[in-house]
Amino acid sequence: MSFQTAAIKSGSKRRADAITQWTLMILLAFGSLFMIIPFIWMLSTSFDWSARLELSFPPRFFPAEPSMKNYQAAFTNVPMLRYIVNSLIVSIGTIVISVLSALLSGYALSKIRFRGATVVLVLALSTMMIPFEMTMIPQYMMFSKFGLLDSYWAFYLPAIGYTFGTFLAKAFMDQLPGALREAAIIDGAGEGTVFWRIYLPLCAPIVATLVILLFLGVWNDLLWPLLVLKSADKFTIQLGLGMFAYNNGLNRFPSIILAATTVSLLPVFVLYLFLQRYIIESIALSGIKQ
């Protein structure tokens, strides 16, 4: 009887686990479909020349008049290439400064045993609780006093303090053996050599993760560029599209605006396709759950 009871309980547990897994799969499928439908609609409408003056309702997921004219009109009426180049300049500079700062500070907190390291880390992490809206005005006033408004230095200088990246870099480097540093120092290597020659090549997964997170944040940012940039020839892609939509009205050229928006998303999509495996690897190695 005890064997039969155990078998029944085991079978019931397997059925319950199977039901739970199927339930989760169905919920995730619906969630994914709910998230991807707006992108499908945006892509379809961007190729629909009949929607250049008015969007159809209910929404169509197949263009009624397929054409590339929306994209031609977008590049004709909006200096897309100029905006994309500006966004790349801002993104690349911010990423280089932020990643280098995060890796150096993460290496120091993880591998160099100095007094007060825990206090420094706690103080740095505490700054993450301060929303950007609270520091936005002081930063704007400071850059205005220094004469750095309407320049890309307003993006590069704040990138030096990348607290979240420091936390991720430290968590990742905690998984790397400290014996590598000790052996290198015994052989006469300095801290700079240890970092650049030994630990930096091992940090490719976390570097890729930081690059993607930063690129998404900088490329899609609208509020800070709107505050600090005044010259139209320095506008980033999101600010340029926002100004075009504002000046012409969101309802005047909807399909053209959606075509320009689709173009603005392509760099993010391509970057993620190339680096997505590094994100999974870095999360698995560092033990960070999102």
Side-chain angles (χ1 to χ4, degrees), residues 76-216:
T76 301
N77 294 278
V78 183
M80 294 289 293
L81 293 179
R82 179 71 262 176
Y83 293 158
I84 290 174
V85 170
N86 293 341
S87 291
L88 287 175
I89 293 173
V90 172
S91 300
I92 292 174
T94 303
I95 287 171
V96 170
I97 295 172
S98 295
V99 171
L100 185 59
S101 172
L103 291 176
L104 287 171
S105 54
Y107 170 77
L109 292 171
S110 176
K111 300 305 177 186
I112 302 177
R113 307 299 179 182
F114 62 92
R115 184 174 300 178
T118 303
V119 177
V120 172
L121 179 61
V122 171
L123 290 176
L125 293 178
S126 65
T127 61
M128 295 175 58
M129 295 185 292
I130 303 175
F132 171 71
E133 289 74 13
M134 291 186 63
T135 62
M136 176 178 62
I137 302 300
Q139 284 190 44
Y140 176 86
M141 295 175 64
M142 181 181 66
F143 287 123
S144 178
K145 291 290 185 181
F146 291 158
L148 296 177
L149 294 180
D150 202 25
S151 72
Y152 295 145
W153 286 108
F155 299 93
Y156 298 156
L157 293 179
I160 296 175
Y162 185 33
T163 307
F164 181 66
T166 299
F167 170 69
L168 287 182
K170 179 187 179 301
F172 183 85
M173 290 188 182
D174 284 342
Q175 310 299 319
L176 302 178
L180 296 175
R181 173 178 174 270
E182 296 173 1
I185 291 178
I186 291 174
D187 290 339
E191 292 292 351
T193 303
V194 173
F195 173 77
W196 290 104
R197 294 286 187 89
I198 298 176
Y199 283 97
L200 185 59
L202 299 176
C203 292
I206 196 64
V207 169
T209 301
L210 294 176
V211 167
I212 290 179
L213 294 177
L214 285 165
F215 188 80
L216 288 174

Side-chain angles (χ1 to χ4, degrees), residues 25-96:
M25 290 176 62
I26 292 173
L27 290 176
L28 290 174
F30 274 107
S32 301
L33 186 63
F34 182 78
M35 295 294 292
I36 202 173
I37 281 177
F39 291 97
I40 297 176
W41 172 78
M42 178 186 70
L43 186 62
S44 172
T45 307
S46 69
F47 287 100
D48 191 354
W49 182 240
S50 65
R52 64 190 180 278
L53 298 178
E54 184 179 5
L55 292 176
S56 62
F57 189 84
R60 290 193 299 259
F61 293 97
F62 296 97
E65 189 178 340
S67 175
M68 293 293 294
K69 293 181 180 179
N70 288 321
Y71 289 90
Q72 295 174 359
F75 278 89
T76 301
N77 294 278
V78 183
M80 294 289 293
L81 293 179
R82 179 71 262 176
Y83 293 158
I84 290 174
V85 170
N86 293 341
S87 291
L88 287 175
I89 293 173
V90 172
S91 300
I92 292 174
T94 303
I95 287 171
V96 170

